[in-house]
């Protein structure tokens, strides 16, 4: 009887599934009519514009012997994506920095060494079932009138400058830990757990050895130092494609001095990131690694705001080189810059189109000495500001001299996650757009430049993108 009951249950379950699959339709006459999937129209992400899918010739189309530049244009196509209309500002990046600060304070307020207030950490759901411990962001930090233990927790992330005596954030503590699932590697045929699915050619033997994989991991040692490791081992499961990173998020404000020998740039060290007057200026002194950490935090910040566990959110990320160039040139093959023509200023009005270095030793001819407030100049035809000049921008694409010949022509991208022990030249990443310190030639949108992924420069910033999923009815698309 038990066996019969199981069979009946199985038939009943199958019938229920069939009913769900047909969506309750009837009268189809036994024909296959198709099953719809859940779909939604993605709302416009805040501060972003839609760059519609398109195709163009990327790279320089004309040779220039003066700059030793060869014509190397090639056709590519990219899918639609959202892009920040401006570079990430000091204000937006500072929100990230202060979130990391507040997370450390909350962690310590829940620590018995600082009073052990359990309200700052959630370990059970409303029904009393255990959950993965996480911080309670609905519990406010007692900035005003804290008790003795709370005050110690708050003050633990600050230091007193031994020279000036000023109370300031201890930036060495501002470390952000995050994990990234490398789906690209996980779905490759060679990395499948079932050996029968790695080789489909029946004339060849089924592989017996498990493939070797490498994954990044990180931890903080007893001295408070970030230790990074790249582990190589045989594949054991999906978790082998989860990489762990710990990144100190504070920008290198000393870049203003270290980038320029024999120059008095100390005021920028003290003021550029800290002073409210620079809130709407592009953040600089941020490495490629820090920019990726920001994008990951921005994704999690959005997911938490939705208030639902397990919901998939298309991640914020750095643009690929192809996406960046397509967006900068507004999809027009003839454009060397984000605007029409080869000139960098209006002949009629005599005003510049971007913030760069117009003449030798003359940074101010365009109206600015260093960076300018984002959105100061007119946007390109896609509605994007400062795609030339102001600050160079990180892309996700790794640099090698032959990168143009390595990538596909469909959504081109070349990723290389350099291991700690890799030669330094393998840790180069492509930057685009030129900056406030560059001459007109170097702010062209069709030129490729690079920088090491851990370098922090006073002239490099970034902006984020998100892949567009689906199309809403009546959605406005970019037109060439």
């Amino acid at each position: 009887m038990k066996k019969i009951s199981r069979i009946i249950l199985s038939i009943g379950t199958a019938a229920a599934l069939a009913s769900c699959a047909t969506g309750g339709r009837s009268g189809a006459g036994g024909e296959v009519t198709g099953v719809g999937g859940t779909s939604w129209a993605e709302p416009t992400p805040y501060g972003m514009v839609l760059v519609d899918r398109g195709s163009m010739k990327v790279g320089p189309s004309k040779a220039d012997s003066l700059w030793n530049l060869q014509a190397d244009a090639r056709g590519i196509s990219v899918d639609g994506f959202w892009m920040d209309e401006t570079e990430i500002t000091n204000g937006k990046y500072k929100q990230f920095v202060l979130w990391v600060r507040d997370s450390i304070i909350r962690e310590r307020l829940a620590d018995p060494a600082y009073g052990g207030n359990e309200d700052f950490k959630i370990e059970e759901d409303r029904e009393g079932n255990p959950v993965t411990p996480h911080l309670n962001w609905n519990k406010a930090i007692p900035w005003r009138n804290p008790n003795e233990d709370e005050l110690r927790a708050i003050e633990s992330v600050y230091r007193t400058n031994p020279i000036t005596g000023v109370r300031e954030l201890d930036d060495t503590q501002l470390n952000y830990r995050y994990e990234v699932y490398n789906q690209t590697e996980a779905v490759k045929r060679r990395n499948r757990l079932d050996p029968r699915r790695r080789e489909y050619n029946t004339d060849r033997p089924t592989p017996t050895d498990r493939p070797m994989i490498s994954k990044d991991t990180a931890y903080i040692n007893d001295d408070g130092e970030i230790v990074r490791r790249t582990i190589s081992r045989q594949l054991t499961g999906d978790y082998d494609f989860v990489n762990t990173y710990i990144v100190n998020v504070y920008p290198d404000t000393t870049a203003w001095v270290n980038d320029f020998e024999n120059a008095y740039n100390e005021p920028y060290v003290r003021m550029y990131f800290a002073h409210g007057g620079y809130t709407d200026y592009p953040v600089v002194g941020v490495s490629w690694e820090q920019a990726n950490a920001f994008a990951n935090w921005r994704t999690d910040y959005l997911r938490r705001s939705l208030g639902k566990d397990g919901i998939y959110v298309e991640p914020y990320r750095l643009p690929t080189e192809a996406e960046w160039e397509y967006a900068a040139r507004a999809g027009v093959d003839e454009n060397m810059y984000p605007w029409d023509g080869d000139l960098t200023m209006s002949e009629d009005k005599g005003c510049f189109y971007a913030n760069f270095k117009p003449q030798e030793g003359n940074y101010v001819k365009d109206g600015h000495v260093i960076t300018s407030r984002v959105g100061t100049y007119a946007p390109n035809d896609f509605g994007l500001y400062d795609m030339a000049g102001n600050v160079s921008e990180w892309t996700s694409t790794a640099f090698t001299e032959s990168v143009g010949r390595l990538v596909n022509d469909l959504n081109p991208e070349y990723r290389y996650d350099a291991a700690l022990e890799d030669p330094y030249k393998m840790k180069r990443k492509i930057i685009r757009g030129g900056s406030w310190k560059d001459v007109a030639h170097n702010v062209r949108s069709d030129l490729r430049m690079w920088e090491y992924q851990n370098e922090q420069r006073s002239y490099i910033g970034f902006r984020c993108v998100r892949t567009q999923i689906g199309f809403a009815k009546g959605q406005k698309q970019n037109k060439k």
Side-chain angles (χ1 to χ4, degrees), residues 457-478:
R457 299 293 190 184
S458 60
Y459 46 85
I460 300 180
F462 69 102
R463 70 181 80 205
C464 297
V465 298
R466 282 178 70 190
T467 300
Q468 183 200 21
I469 302 298
F471 294 89
K473 291 182 179 179
Q475 180 173 291
K476 183 180 179 181
Q477 306 292 312
N478 288 316

Side-chain angles (χ1 to χ4, degrees), residues 190-434:
R190 66 169 182 262
N191 290 329
R192 290 173 177 170
L193 284 171
D194 186 349
R196 294 168 298 181
R197 299 186 65 228
R198 288 188 226 137
E199 178 58 70
Y200 286 178
N201 188 335
T202 55
D203 291 337
R204 298 175 182 172
T206 300
T208 57
D209 295 335
R210 289 196 171 188
M212 294 295 295
I213 60 92
S214 65
K215 64 175 292 183
D216 295 330
T217 185
Y219 64 92
I220 297 178
N221 64 19
D222 294 337
D223 296 325
E225 301 170 330
I226 299 174
V227 179
R228 300 174 181 173
R229 293 283 185 268
T230 299
I231 301 171
S232 295
R233 67 184 185 198
Q234 282 190 317
L235 177 65
T236 60
D238 288 340
Y239 194 77
D240 287 331
F241 301 103
V242 176
N243 298 279
T244 302
Y245 301 99
I246 300 177
V247 178
N248 184 274
V249 303
Y250 204 82
D252 184 7
T253 59
T254 68
W256 292 100
V257 169
N258 290 304
D259 287 343
F260 300 94
E261 293 284 344
N262 302 317
Y264 182 65
N265 288 334
E266 280 83 346
Y268 304 138
V269 174
R270 295 189 296 269
M271 297 296 180
Y272 186 80
F273 186 65
H275 194 280
Y278 289 104
T279 295
D280 295 325
Y281 284 63
V283 68
V284 296
V286 173
S287 69
W288 181 87
E289 295 165 352
Q290 291 173 310
N292 276 287
F294 175 91
N296 181 272
W297 166 79
R298 190 177 180 183
T299 304
D300 281 346
Y301 192 73
L302 174 62
R303 184 183 292 113
R304 282 191 299 270
S305 72
L306 298 175
K308 295 181 180 179
D309 295 330
I311 188 171
Y312 178 78
V313 175
E314 190 62 28
Y316 290 97
R317 56 183 174 81
L318 293 180
T320 66
E321 181 192 27
E323 288 172 333
W324 193 98
E325 182 172 341
Y326 176 77
R329 298 170 66 183
V332 179
D333 294 347
E334 293 75 25
N335 283 359
M336 290 196 307
Y337 295 100
W339 52 84
D340 296 335
D342 300 342
L343 301 178
T344 55
M345 64 184 301
S346 169
E347 292 184 293
D348 298 333
K349 300 180 181 179
C351 56
F352 286 93
Y353 295 139
N355 177 16
F356 64 104
K357 183 181 178 182
Q359 293 178 343
E360 182 180 359
N362 189 342
Y363 293 85
V364 300
K365 191 173 182 180
D366 60 1
H368 308 277
V369 178
I370 53 168
T371 57
S372 58
R373 182 178 281 104
V374 297
T376 296
Y377 298 87
N380 71 358
D381 288 346
F382 280 0
L384 299 165
Y385 295 86
D386 300 316
M387 296 299 283
N390 214 14
V391 292
S392 297
E393 299 178 16
W394 291 111
T395 73
S396 61
T397 309
F399 175 82
T400 177
E401 285 74 7
S402 58
V403 64
R405 295 187 292 274
L406 294 174
V407 295
N408 207 301
D409 59 359
L410 172 63
N411 293 318
E413 172 68 326
Y414 175 65
R415 293 298 299 266
Y416 183 79
D417 297 322
L420 186 66
E421 63 272 14
D422 278 340
Y424 199 39
K425 68 179 296 184
M426 298 178 71
K427 300 173 183 179
R428 295 176 292 178
K429 298 296 186 287
I430 292 173
I431 58 174
R432 284 301 201 116

Side-chain angles (χ1 to χ4, degrees), residues 37-110:
T38 302
S39 62
W40 62 93
E42 186 181 53
T44 301
Y46 177 79
M48 286 187 150
V49 297
L50 176 63
V51 178
D52 194 14
R53 59 180 179 244
S55 178
M56 71 173 299
K57 299 279 189 180
V58 295
S61 58
K62 297 179 181 179
D64 189 338
S65 58
L66 179 63
W67 291 93
N68 192 28
L69 188 66
Q70 296 181 346
D72 189 29
R74 60 201 182 282
I76 60 97
S77 294
V78 294
D79 212 338
F81 56 94
W82 301 95
M83 189 176 219
D84 283 323
E85 61 182 353
T86 70
E87 294 141 341
I88 296 298
T89 62
N90 282 320
K92 289 183 177 179
Y93 194 84
K94 195 176 295 182
Q95 184 177 352
F96 176 36
V97 171
L98 295 183
W99 184 95
V100 173
R101 178 203 65 180
D102 292 354
S103 68
I104 296 172
I105 292 175
R106 281 187 166 83
E107 192 73 49
R108 289 177 183 168
L109 286 168

